[in-house]
Amino acid sequence: MSFHASSASTDSSDSKQATLLIFGASGDLTSRKLIPALFSLYRNGFLADNALIVGVARRPKDDDSFRNEMRDDVLGNAPSAKATADWDRFQNLLHYVQVDLNSPSDYCALKERVEALEQERNLPGQRVVYLATSPALFLPSIENLNQAGMVPHEASKLRVVIEKPFGHDLISARELSANYARLLSEDQIYRIDHYLGKETVQNILLFRFGNAIFEPMFHRHHVDHIQITVAESQGMEGGRGGYYDTSGAMRDVLQNHVLQLACLVAMEPPSRFEAEYIRDEKLKVLQSLSSPLHATSVDDWAVAGQYAASSINGEPCKAYVNEERVPPDSRTETFVAMEARIDNWRWAGVPFYLRTGKRMPSRVTEIAIQFKLPPLNLFQTVECNETMCERVNARPNSLIFRIQPQESISLRFSTKRPGMQYQVEPVDMDFQFGEKFSEALPEAYERLLLDVIRGDSTLFTRSDELEAAWSFVDPVIQHWQRPEHQPELYQAGTWGPKQAHSLLRNTGREWRVPQKHLTAHEAGK
Ligand code: BG6
């Protein structure tokens, strides 16, 4: 069961004595995310001193050089004395085995070394293989592990973690799932969507199903529409254009992270808080996704954009097509906005507006639930700035989940402006994680790795969820691949192309401009 308050003492000694094999150990993901997350789990008592972490990659290296490299990356230049002492104990968990992942014979040596280390440490042989490699190596690695006799068909003995992309369309995703299914059972496969590891994302379910006052409001009777925004200010730094150009915003972020957020906001309460019950409910949402009723073509409800050159805060900013490793005639979208429908009893008639993009004005992920206006407009809404007050249309209530940064939940409602008249003023009830809790929010990978080690698949995507998500986005991608289709340009540093605004404006609505939340300290309180 997931989402329980984790504490080291609730973990069985077996899960603390895990064996982790990281394939692709020379890569960026290993040093930037995986080893720091494992180090933190160790420091918090979730990994025992005899647990085993084996880096596996092609480059020649011995245990010591692997440990030193990881130490430099994880601890940085000026580590505290405590961190250094903890690392000195943690590094004994780390080992390295040189393997060409395409070469079946190398796996025999890997098997021998891992078995010897497990025996030395008296470990039960509960293995997790993390495939932090290029996707082309996922299947060959599992096949070679199998040939070497390293794939027992029990999830307690072997779990395999896979990073996206999980295929590039419905057909390839099905094919991949079928190939994995030949070698592994579904409960051995952990498909990571790091958004589900974010603390504030997990809190959506707790907020909805742990507070009786809010859940009934998540319903077509009360909600006018929902907006989900995953905006990034970054572009193609670090030569990322090569990968990104084969993917685009739809495959890279909307198909997975944005749709997963939509699931958590829209799903029915599960009858138990357990992986399969939760994933069953998410699946129903994904299967209910469709285009809006008014749409006659994809262009009526989905918009592709691509950033053009501009300057941000006085700094010149390249167009996408001029980025490193991006073909100059690329039609890949760096922005998507769409109006989706969730065709079920709860949500019929409520538009879900989804958008994600690179080179937006700021990095912000939020879910905004906009409620309906009261049926009668009994009061005047007066809004004032420093120089004047004016009457405006009534403002609807809204509930905003700020996933990142400045994680918060805020509820906007109307109140009476002090005075002799009934004048409405919108105000916010604001809960900021950073103000309430002194501890830092755990990194997504830390939570997800711990769940794999414990054998809890709640926060991982099941193959049927994946297929349902692809079925929804595939027709849009196919439409955009037609030779006559071009993404609409938007200036880097803006909130996307004009058509994205028209999507809402045509219905009398507007995209929210995500505001930076000021902490009490910043606001000088
Ligand atoms: C990844 C995408 O899955 O998510 C990246 O491949 C994107 O392109 C990233 O930048 C966003 O994640 P986060 O946690 O920074 O919002």
PDB file of all heavy atoms in Angstrom, residues 242-262:
ATOM      1  N   GLY A 242      18.603  16.852 -29.703  1.00  0.00           N
ATOM      2  CA  GLY A 242      18.662  15.604 -30.479  1.00  0.00           C
ATOM      3  C   GLY A 242      17.549  14.665 -30.075  1.00  0.00           C
ATOM      4  O   GLY A 242      16.796  14.160 -30.914  1.00  0.00           O
ATOM      5  N   TYR A 243      17.407  14.440 -28.747  1.00  0.00           N
ATOM      6  CA  TYR A 243      16.315  13.581 -28.274  1.00  0.00           C
ATOM      7  C   TYR A 243      14.969  14.271 -28.515  1.00  0.00           C
ATOM      8  O   TYR A 243      14.027  13.679 -29.044  1.00  0.00           O
ATOM      9  CB  TYR A 243      16.475  13.279 -26.774  1.00  0.00           C
ATOM     10  CG  TYR A 243      15.142  13.091 -26.073  1.00  0.00           C
ATOM     11  CD1 TYR A 243      14.417  11.907 -26.253  1.00  0.00           C
ATOM     12  CD2 TYR A 243      14.575  14.109 -25.305  1.00  0.00           C
ATOM     13  CE1 TYR A 243      13.168  11.750 -25.646  1.00  0.00           C
ATOM     14  CE2 TYR A 243      13.332  13.955 -24.708  1.00  0.00           C
ATOM     15  CZ  TYR A 243      12.628  12.783 -24.886  1.00  0.00           C
ATOM     16  OH  TYR A 243      11.393  12.631 -24.311  1.00  0.00           O
ATOM     17  N   TYR A 244      14.904  15.560 -28.116  1.00  0.00           N
ATOM     18  CA  TYR A 244      13.611  16.231 -28.072  1.00  0.00           C
ATOM     19  C   TYR A 244      12.965  16.285 -29.459  1.00  0.00           C
ATOM     20  O   TYR A 244      11.752  16.165 -29.599  1.00  0.00           O
ATOM     21  CB  TYR A 244      13.785  17.650 -27.518  1.00  0.00           C
ATOM     22  CG  TYR A 244      12.472  18.298 -27.145  1.00  0.00           C
ATOM     23  CD1 TYR A 244      11.887  18.044 -25.909  1.00  0.00           C
ATOM     24  CD2 TYR A 244      11.794  19.126 -28.034  1.00  0.00           C
ATOM     25  CE1 TYR A 244      10.671  18.600 -25.556  1.00  0.00           C
ATOM     26  CE2 TYR A 244      10.582  19.686 -27.696  1.00  0.00           C
ATOM     27  CZ  TYR A 244      10.031  19.425 -26.458  1.00  0.00           C
ATOM     28  OH  TYR A 244       8.820  19.977 -26.116  1.00  0.00           O
ATOM     29  N   ASP A 245      13.799  16.439 -30.473  1.00  0.00           N
ATOM     30  CA  ASP A 245      13.235  16.592 -31.808  1.00  0.00           C
ATOM     31  C   ASP A 245      12.532  15.317 -32.288  1.00  0.00           C
ATOM     32  O   ASP A 245      11.671  15.361 -33.164  1.00  0.00           O
ATOM     33  CB  ASP A 245      14.308  17.031 -32.813  1.00  0.00           C
ATOM     34  CG  ASP A 245      13.639  17.694 -34.003  1.00  0.00           C
ATOM     35  OD1 ASP A 245      13.000  18.738 -33.803  1.00  0.00           O
ATOM     36  OD2 ASP A 245      13.712  17.117 -35.107  1.00  0.00           O
ATOM     37  N   THR A 246      12.888  14.187 -31.699  1.00  0.00           N
ATOM     38  CA  THR A 246      12.199  12.948 -32.083  1.00  0.00           C
ATOM     39  C   THR A 246      10.940  12.753 -31.235  1.00  0.00           C
ATOM     40  O   THR A 246      10.185  11.809 -31.421  1.00  0.00           O
ATOM     41  CB  THR A 246      13.098  11.718 -31.834  1.00  0.00           C
ATOM     42  OG1 THR A 246      13.386  11.669 -30.424  1.00  0.00           O
ATOM     43  CG2 THR A 246      14.386  11.801 -32.618  1.00  0.00           C
ATOM     44  N   SER A 247      10.764  13.647 -30.266  1.00  0.00           N
ATOM     45  CA  SER A 247       9.675  13.447 -29.317  1.00  0.00           C
ATOM     46  C   SER A 247       8.630  14.564 -29.439  1.00  0.00           C
ATOM     47  O   SER A 247       7.524  14.343 -29.929  1.00  0.00           O
ATOM     48  CB  SER A 247      10.299  13.399 -27.918  1.00  0.00           C
ATOM     49  OG  SER A 247       9.348  13.520 -26.941  1.00  0.00           O
ATOM     50  N   GLY A 248       9.010  15.781 -29.025  1.00  0.00           N
ATOM     51  CA  GLY A 248       8.057  16.899 -29.045  1.00  0.00           C
ATOM     52  C   GLY A 248       7.273  16.947 -27.740  1.00  0.00           C
ATOM     53  O   GLY A 248       7.255  15.970 -26.970  1.00  0.00           O
ATOM     54  N   ALA A 249       6.621  18.073 -27.514  1.00  0.00           N
ATOM     55  CA  ALA A 249       5.961  18.324 -26.224  1.00  0.00           C
ATOM     56  C   ALA A 249       4.853  17.316 -25.919  1.00  0.00           C
ATOM     57  O   ALA A 249       4.621  16.947 -24.777  1.00  0.00           O
ATOM     58  CB  ALA A 249       5.393  19.741 -26.218  1.00  0.00           C
ATOM     59  N   MET A 250       4.173  16.852 -26.971  1.00  0.00           N
ATOM     60  CA  MET A 250       3.066  15.919 -26.739  1.00  0.00           C
ATOM     61  C   MET A 250       3.576  14.608 -26.141  1.00  0.00           C
ATOM     62  O   MET A 250       3.070  14.138 -25.127  1.00  0.00           O
ATOM     63  CB  MET A 250       2.371  15.646 -28.073  1.00  0.00           C
ATOM     64  CG  MET A 250       1.211  14.723 -27.953  1.00  0.00           C
ATOM     65  SD  MET A 250      -0.148  15.534 -27.117  1.00  0.00           S
ATOM     66  CE  MET A 250      -1.282  15.671 -28.458  1.00  0.00           C
ATOM     67  N   ARG A 251       4.613  14.035 -26.774  1.00  0.00           N
ATOM     68  CA  ARG A 251       5.122  12.748 -26.279  1.00  0.00           C
ATOM     69  C   ARG A 251       5.961  12.919 -25.022  1.00  0.00           C
ATOM     70  O   ARG A 251       5.975  12.059 -24.154  1.00  0.00           O
ATOM     71  CB  ARG A 251       6.006  12.079 -27.337  1.00  0.00           C
ATOM     72  CG  ARG A 251       5.254  11.618 -28.566  1.00  0.00           C
ATOM     73  CD  ARG A 251       6.222  10.809 -29.437  1.00  0.00           C
ATOM     74  NE  ARG A 251       5.555  10.225 -30.573  1.00  0.00           N
ATOM     75  CZ  ARG A 251       5.633  10.692 -31.808  1.00  0.00           C
ATOM     76  NH1 ARG A 251       6.338  11.782 -32.054  1.00  0.00           N
ATOM     77  NH2 ARG A 251       5.008  10.094 -32.795  1.00  0.00           N
ATOM     78  N   ASP A 252       6.682  14.042 -24.952  1.00  0.00           N
ATOM     79  CA  ASP A 252       7.642  14.223 -23.860  1.00  0.00           C
ATOM     80  C   ASP A 252       6.942  14.505 -22.529  1.00  0.00           C
ATOM     81  O   ASP A 252       7.365  14.015 -21.492  1.00  0.00           O
ATOM     82  CB  ASP A 252       8.581  15.393 -24.220  1.00  0.00           C
ATOM     83  CG  ASP A 252       9.729  15.554 -23.235  1.00  0.00           C
ATOM     84  OD1 ASP A 252      10.353  14.524 -22.904  1.00  0.00           O
ATOM     85  OD2 ASP A 252       9.997  16.680 -22.791  1.00  0.00           O
ATOM     86  N   VAL A 253       5.884  15.273 -22.547  1.00  0.00           N
ATOM     87  CA  VAL A 253       5.272  15.703 -21.273  1.00  0.00           C
ATOM     88  C   VAL A 253       3.755  15.506 -21.220  1.00  0.00           C
ATOM     89  O   VAL A 253       3.215  15.048 -20.221  1.00  0.00           O
ATOM     90  CB  VAL A 253       5.645  17.181 -20.979  1.00  0.00           C
ATOM     91  CG1 VAL A 253       4.872  17.717 -19.782  1.00  0.00           C
ATOM     92  CG2 VAL A 253       7.143  17.319 -20.708  1.00  0.00           C
ATOM     93  N   LEU A 254       3.044  15.826 -22.315  1.00  0.00           N
ATOM     94  CA  LEU A 254       1.579  15.765 -22.192  1.00  0.00           C
ATOM     95  C   LEU A 254       1.067  14.333 -22.044  1.00  0.00           C
ATOM     96  O   LEU A 254       0.253  14.036 -21.176  1.00  0.00           O
ATOM     97  CB  LEU A 254       0.892  16.457 -23.371  1.00  0.00           C
ATOM     98  CG  LEU A 254      -0.579  16.726 -23.015  1.00  0.00           C
ATOM     99  CD1 LEU A 254      -0.994  18.159 -23.317  1.00  0.00           C
ATOM    100  CD2 LEU A 254      -1.533  15.749 -23.674  1.00  0.00           C
ATOM    101  N   GLN A 255       1.582  13.446 -22.897  1.00  0.00           N
ATOM    102  CA  GLN A 255       1.084  12.062 -22.903  1.00  0.00           C
ATOM    103  C   GLN A 255       1.270  11.376 -21.542  1.00  0.00           C
ATOM    104  O   GLN A 255       0.529  10.483 -21.188  1.00  0.00           O
ATOM    105  CB  GLN A 255       1.823  11.283 -24.004  1.00  0.00           C
ATOM    106  CG  GLN A 255       1.366   9.868 -24.222  1.00  0.00           C
ATOM    107  CD  GLN A 255       2.141   8.845 -23.392  1.00  0.00           C
ATOM    108  OE1 GLN A 255       3.114   9.171 -22.734  1.00  0.00           O
ATOM    109  NE2 GLN A 255       1.686   7.607 -23.422  1.00  0.00           N
ATOM    110  N   ASN A 256       2.279  11.800 -20.804  1.00  0.00           N
ATOM    111  CA  ASN A 256       2.540  11.130 -19.521  1.00  0.00           C
ATOM    112  C   ASN A 256       2.243  12.040 -18.337  1.00  0.00           C
ATOM    113  O   ASN A 256       1.217  11.866 -17.667  1.00  0.00           O
ATOM    114  CB  ASN A 256       3.977  10.597 -19.495  1.00  0.00           C
ATOM    115  CG  ASN A 256       4.943  11.563 -20.196  1.00  0.00           C
ATOM    116  OD1 ASN A 256       5.279  12.607 -19.666  1.00  0.00           O
ATOM    117  ND2 ASN A 256       5.354  11.222 -21.413  1.00  0.00           N
ATOM    118  N   HIS A 257       3.093  13.048 -18.086  1.00  0.00           N
ATOM    119  CA  HIS A 257       2.938  13.839 -16.848  1.00  0.00           C
ATOM    120  C   HIS A 257       1.579  14.545 -16.780  1.00  0.00           C
ATOM    121  O   HIS A 257       0.891  14.489 -15.767  1.00  0.00           O
ATOM    122  CB  HIS A 257       4.046  14.888 -16.722  1.00  0.00           C
ATOM    123  CG  HIS A 257       5.437  14.344 -16.873  1.00  0.00           C
ATOM    124  ND1 HIS A 257       5.793  13.085 -16.446  1.00  0.00           N
ATOM    125  CD2 HIS A 257       6.567  14.877 -17.401  1.00  0.00           C
ATOM    126  CE1 HIS A 257       7.080  12.884 -16.707  1.00  0.00           C
ATOM    127  NE2 HIS A 257       7.566  13.955 -17.290  1.00  0.00           N
ATOM    128  N   VAL A 258       1.191  15.216 -17.873  1.00  0.00           N
ATOM    129  CA  VAL A 258      -0.049  16.012 -17.809  1.00  0.00           C
ATOM    130  C   VAL A 258      -1.271  15.091 -17.669  1.00  0.00           C
ATOM    131  O   VAL A 258      -2.170  15.351 -16.862  1.00  0.00           O
ATOM    132  CB  VAL A 258      -0.181  16.929 -19.050  1.00  0.00           C
ATOM    133  CG1 VAL A 258      -1.499  17.671 -19.023  1.00  0.00           C
ATOM    134  CG2 VAL A 258       0.972  17.912 -19.117  1.00  0.00           C
ATOM    135  N   LEU A 259      -1.273  13.995 -18.428  1.00  0.00           N
ATOM    136  CA  LEU A 259      -2.439  13.097 -18.327  1.00  0.00           C
ATOM    137  C   LEU A 259      -2.499  12.419 -16.958  1.00  0.00           C
ATOM    138  O   LEU A 259      -3.591  12.166 -16.436  1.00  0.00           O
ATOM    139  CB  LEU A 259      -2.439  12.062 -19.456  1.00  0.00           C
ATOM    140  CG  LEU A 259      -2.663  12.634 -20.859  1.00  0.00           C
ATOM    141  CD1 LEU A 259      -2.809  11.499 -21.879  1.00  0.00           C
ATOM    142  CD2 LEU A 259      -3.888  13.542 -20.942  1.00  0.00           C
ATOM    143  N   GLN A 260      -1.354  12.144 -16.371  1.00  0.00           N
ATOM    144  CA  GLN A 260      -1.368  11.559 -15.024  1.00  0.00           C
ATOM    145  C   GLN A 260      -1.949  12.563 -14.013  1.00  0.00           C
ATOM    146  O   GLN A 260      -2.711  12.181 -13.126  1.00  0.00           O
ATOM    147  CB  GLN A 260       0.048  11.132 -14.593  1.00  0.00           C
ATOM    148  CG  GLN A 260       0.552   9.882 -15.298  1.00  0.00           C
ATOM    149  CD  GLN A 260      -0.205   8.605 -14.887  1.00  0.00           C
ATOM    150  OE1 GLN A 260      -0.671   8.477 -13.775  1.00  0.00           O
ATOM    151  NE2 GLN A 260      -0.342   7.675 -15.818  1.00  0.00           N
ATOM    152  N   LEU A 261      -1.611  13.837 -14.186  1.00  0.00           N
ATOM    153  CA  LEU A 261      -2.191  14.842 -13.278  1.00  0.00           C
ATOM    154  C   LEU A 261      -3.709  14.899 -13.472  1.00  0.00           C
ATOM    155  O   LEU A 261      -4.473  14.968 -12.504  1.00  0.00           O
ATOM    156  CB  LEU A 261      -1.585  16.236 -13.544  1.00  0.00           C
ATOM    157  CG  LEU A 261      -0.096  16.412 -13.213  1.00  0.00           C
ATOM    158  CD1 LEU A 261       0.368  17.832 -13.545  1.00  0.00           C
ATOM    159  CD2 LEU A 261       0.191  16.114 -11.750  1.00  0.00           C
ATOM    160  N   ALA A 262      -4.131  14.837 -14.738  1.00  0.00           N
ATOM    161  CA  ALA A 262      -5.579  14.867 -15.016  1.00  0.00           C
ATOM    162  C   ALA A 262      -6.264  13.680 -14.338  1.00  0.00           C
ATOM    163  O   ALA A 262      -7.361  13.811 -13.775  1.00  0.00           O
ATOM    164  CB  ALA A 262      -5.818  14.840 -16.530  1.00  0.00           C
TER     165      ALA A 262
END
